Each structure stands twice: as structure tokens, then as C-alpha cells.
Amino acid sequence: MGVTNVTEYEAIAKEKLPKMVYDYYASGAEDQWTLEESRNAFSRILFRPRILIDVSKIVMTTTILGFKISMPIMVAPTAMQKMAHPEGEYATARAASSAGTIMTLSSWATSSVEEAASTGPGIRFFQLYVYKDRNVVAQLVRRAERAGFKAIALTVDTPRLGRREADIKNRFTLPPFLTLKNFEGLDLGKMDEANDSGLASYVAGQIDRTLSWKDVQWLQTITKMPILVKGVITAEDTRLAIQAGAAGIIVSNHGARQLDYVPATISALEEVVKAAQGRVPVFLDGGVRRGTDVFKALALGAAGIFIGRPVVLSLAAEGEAGVRKVLQMLRDEFELTMALSGCTSLKEITRDHIVTEWDAPKARPAPRL
């Protein structure tokens, strides 16, 4: 039997990959409470499906920052994809493009912005880490813009790397035959061996801990690309992000890899959506493994979702075909969830289609035929 759902790729990837690589992709920070909660929180949101609605035609297309995509399911940035499969980010870029959706390339990709762009047409965003040397940042942003990337996803939750104990145990480092391609020419493409995590040492040496809201404003002076702030989980930071000129917000806890005991992103989403007040789109990143999860995020006000681990683990299992299959399975499941909930377009998905544990019991209006 072939793979029938996204989660089944985990076991296949675990079998195929070296332990150091699988652990790097799969693990979270410290006790991994948030990692587990990121899945569990979805399971505590239940549906209120509406029946006897004509669902013979279902439209899933949407527009993100002015770009039309086939579905509200996009590819999150995940680092060093050539550790998963020799084709790495090339395969992911092709799969996302063929699915008619957006791929976000990581700063720490093992393929450069130019290489990702060379795979052909497609809407691509670039995830940015801000290095201490701002010339490096400015150069990289310019390269992404020249290569046709359409937006920057600025990661804001990583002044230091979270404590990922699997990486410490494994003394994780980028395999010697690979480089962080975007930084190759700047002598920042290699990661040294370390007594703990080579990546944690790299971050400590290179990534700017002084990063603040004024840098979000600075970025807007060096690029025309809209800036999505990735790593917001509170109302307070949502308001500050909008004040600082963010074009959108990605609710993210960095795959539960930074601060443990933050809520699951699906639990933080509504707070952020309410604070944004419709001024900018809000996206959800983290924990999505089913089409039902996508629907729940949209019902809570997300404009779309990003998937990370499912992409890199399916890439490890089956290369480009695996990533295509993950995107197709999520699309099919989401379409079915819409049909069974009585929704024929994204705008018909409402807060009344779900019930959460934080909902107060409320009197519902009497329906009129």
C-alpha cells in the first residue's frame, strides 16, 4: 500500500535518513512540550458542519499579497534540504510550482536564491535571518529581489537558537559536502564542528541579537518586497508589527524549536487575528498535518497556512514526488472538509463552523430557510 496521509512519511524518513539528520528535522526544544501540543491543540477543535448545501463545485483558490494561488496551503521555509534528498530545494521548488502554490526558501538553504529561481516559474518568498553584518543582509535581500522573489519572511523569534537537545547529543553540523549556498561567497557557508550543536554555535557567532522593530523599518528602506513578520504569537507584537510596516504576519513558534512551553500556533492564532483587525493578512505556521487542520486555521481567521516538516520528511522519503503528494493529499483532504462542512469557497468558512475549548456557550440565532 502507498502512503495515504501526510504523517506516514515520518516513519519512512526516519528509516532512510542518518540519525543526526532525522533528529534535526523532527525534534523540538527542551522537553518538546510545545512540539507535542502543536498537534494536540488541533484535535481539541471540533467542527459544526452545515448540511444540505450544494457542494458540487468547490473553489479553493485565493490571493496572497496580490498573488493568485491554487489553495491556501503554502510551503514554509525549512533549512538544509539537501540533507534530506540530493535535489533538496530544487525538488521542493518544482513541487510547489506544479501545485500552484508558494514556496518559501530558507536563508540556510543548501541551494541559493538564484538556483531556486532557475527551476522555472513560480511564486517564491525568501525567509531572512538578520546577520550581524548588515551588508551581508542587504546583499542577500537584493539577490532575492533580483531572482524574482516576491516577499521577505523575516524570522523574528531567533536572537539565539533554542536548546534542541537531540542536536546537542548528535553534535549536529552540516555534512561536509554541503554548504549554506546563499552565504558561500561570503565565507559564511560552512558550519564548524562543535562540542554541542554546530548550528547553535553558528547562530551565536553570526545572527544579530540586537534585532529590533527599527530593523523591520530599515528592511523596508532596502527592498520593495513586502515583509511578513514570522514568529509572532501575541496581540501586543501583532500591533507593533503593523505599526512597523509589516505587510503580513506569520503566527509561528518556529516548529516548536525555540522557546518551549509557548502555545501551539493554532491556539495563539485567534488572539493575533483579533489584534490585526483585518489590517494585514495573518498566516499560520506549525502543526498542520491534515486538511481538517487547514480548515480549522481558516475558520479562526488565517488567510492561509504554511507546512514545514511534512515537506522535508516527504522529500527525504520520495524526493519531488513526495512533496507533490503531500501538497495533493492536503489539498484533497481540505476540499473534502469544505464539502462536508457545507462550504464552497474560502470566504464561506466562518468561526461558526468550529467550536473551541475557549468558546463561551452561546445562544445561536434561529436559522431561516
Side-chain angles (χ1 to χ4, degrees):
M1 258 311 280
V3 168
T4 53
N5 65 60
V6 167
T7 306
E8 287 175 358
Y9 276 118
E10 281 174 32
I12 302 169
K14 187 171 188 176
E15 217 167 86
K16 279 201 164 186
L17 291 171
K19 179 174 163 53
M20 179 189 81
V21 173
Y22 177 80
D23 286 354
Y24 170 72
Y25 291 140
S27 65
E30 295 186 356
D31 299 328
Q32 304 194 110
W33 182 87
T34 298
L35 184 65
E36 197 175 341
E37 171 66 7
S38 290
R39 285 300 306 132
N40 293 343
F42 276 106
S43 69
R44 299 194 297 271
I45 298 171
L46 304 181
F47 290 124
R48 301 182 69 250
R50 302 300 308 277
I51 52 166
L52 292 175
I53 291 164
D54 176 352
V55 291
S56 55
K57 284 192 184 66
I58 289 181
V59 179
M60 287 179 284
T61 53
T62 188
T63 302
I64 304 292
L65 300 180
F67 299 100
K68 194 168 182 190
I69 56 174
S70 67
M71 57 182 175
I73 301 164
M74 299 167 282
V75 175
T78 50
M80 312 179 227
Q81 291 179 13
K82 283 187 180 177
M83 293 194 307
H85 187 275
E87 291 181 13
E89 294 84 1
Y90 285 86
T92 303
R94 290 192 295 261
S97 179
S98 79
T101 193
I102 292 164
M103 175 201 182
T104 316
L105 185 75
S106 170
S107 272
W108 295 337
T110 38
S111 312
S112 67
V113 288
E114 294 84 4
E115 288 172 332
S118 77
T119 59
I123 304 155
R124 299 185 189 97
F125 292 174
F126 181 66
Q127 176 273 335
L128 180 68
Y129 282 117
V130 177
Y131 279 57
K132 289 172 181 171
D133 182 345
R134 291 309 158 89
N135 293 328
V136 167
V137 177
Q139 206 178 322
L140 192 52
V141 168
R142 277 196 294 272
R143 279 172 57 198
E145 198 159 1
R146 268 206 304 274
F149 283 70
K150 302 302 185 203
I152 295 283
L154 174 68
T155 297
V156 293
D157 58 12
T158 313
R160 298 173 59 171
L161 201 70
R163 183 176 171 82
R164 307 168 189 177
E165 291 176 1
D167 291 349
I168 295 168
K169 279 195 175 73
N170 295 330
R171 298 188 171 186
F172 172 81
T173 190
L174 184 63
F177 56 91
L178 295 174
T179 57
L180 301 180
K181 264 293 195 295
N182 287 314
F183 301 97
E184 200 173 34
L186 301 158
D187 286 332
L188 297 169
K190 283 288 180 197
M191 212 174 282
D192 298 325
E193 301 274 335
N195 286 328
D196 45 19
S197 156
L199 183 62
S201 304
Y202 180 85
V203 168
Q206 301 301 338
I207 301 304
D208 194 345
R209 294 184 187 185
T210 74
L211 190 69
S212 71
W213 291 110
K214 67 179 190 308
D215 298 296
V216 179
Q217 294 167 312
W218 168 73
L219 264 181
Q220 292 163 72
T221 68
I222 65 163
T223 182
K224 291 189 179 68
M225 287 183 285
I227 292 158
L228 302 174
V229 178
K230 179 175 184 281
V232 173
I233 51 176
T234 64
E236 296 90 329
D237 284 335
T238 302
R239 289 188 280 267
L240 289 171
I242 293 168
Q243 273 169 32
I249 287 164
I250 303 175
V251 178
S252 173
N253 55 31
H254 209 114
R257 295 156 78 76
Q258 283 299 99
L259 181 62
D260 201 13
Y261 298 98
V262 295
T265 49
I266 195 68
S267 307
L269 175 61
E270 195 163 33
E271 175 181 329
V272 172
V273 166
K274 284 178 171 166
Q277 296 179 317
R279 290 174 290 181
V280 298
V282 174
F283 305 97
L284 175 120
D285 166 69
V288 172
R289 300 293 179 270
R290 286 276 186 193
T292 47
D293 300 335
V294 180
F295 187 101
K296 289 170 185 180
L298 268 63
L300 286 166
I305 65 93
F306 288 91
I307 49 166
R309 284 187 184 89
V311 167
V312 82
L313 296 176
S314 61
L315 178 68
E318 291 176 0
E320 183 183 335
V323 182
R324 282 177 184 243
K325 183 147 191 198
V326 155
L327 290 166
Q328 188 63 48
M329 285 189 293
L330 285 173
R331 183 192 172 88
D332 292 343
E333 288 178 16
F334 177 54
E335 184 177 19
L336 181 60
T337 306
M338 284 178 68
L340 296 179
S341 298
C343 299
T344 64
S345 70
L346 303 190
K347 67 175 188 301
E348 290 179 9
I349 301 174
T350 69
R351 185 61 172 79
D352 287 330
H353 284 97
I354 57 164
V355 58
T356 71
E357 55 198 335
W358 61 86
D359 287 341
K362 60 173 184 261
R364 308 266 173 194
R368 280 201 292 279
L369 279 179

